[in-house]
Amino acid sequence: MLKLQEEVGELTQSFLTLTGQARTKGKTGGELAADFRAAIADVLCQTLLLARHHGVDLMAEVKAKWLVWLEQR
């Protein structure tokens, strides 16, 4: 859980830098965008690892939480 929190912090910093709300530290726009994409991937992967460790069926949970409208059709 702490590793996920760390990665979310890095994503937040990357987002702030990418959107001009923090210093770029000399990085180009392309580098900032690449950092942002990598940070999103890190958060996703840490989430997947956390779910796996705790036996969470992510597909079932996403379907129940986010795709419930599919069954209403």
Side-chain angles (χ1 to χ4, degrees), residues 11-66:
L11 175 59
T12 301
Q13 182 61 46
S14 180
F15 173 80
L16 291 173
T17 304
L18 181 66
T19 59
Q21 299 176 64
R23 291 177 285 138
T24 62
K25 300 178 184 175
K27 291 188 176 184
T28 67
E31 290 170 327
L32 296 175
D35 288 350
F36 180 68
R37 291 191 305 269
I40 290 173
D42 287 343
V43 169
L44 174 62
C45 290
Q46 287 300 322
T47 301
L48 294 172
L49 288 170
L50 183 63
R52 181 178 175 189
H53 180 77
H54 289 281
V56 175
D57 181 347
L58 278 178
M59 291 305 294
E61 295 302 323
V62 168
K63 184 177 179 184
K65 176 83 177 183
W66 289 91

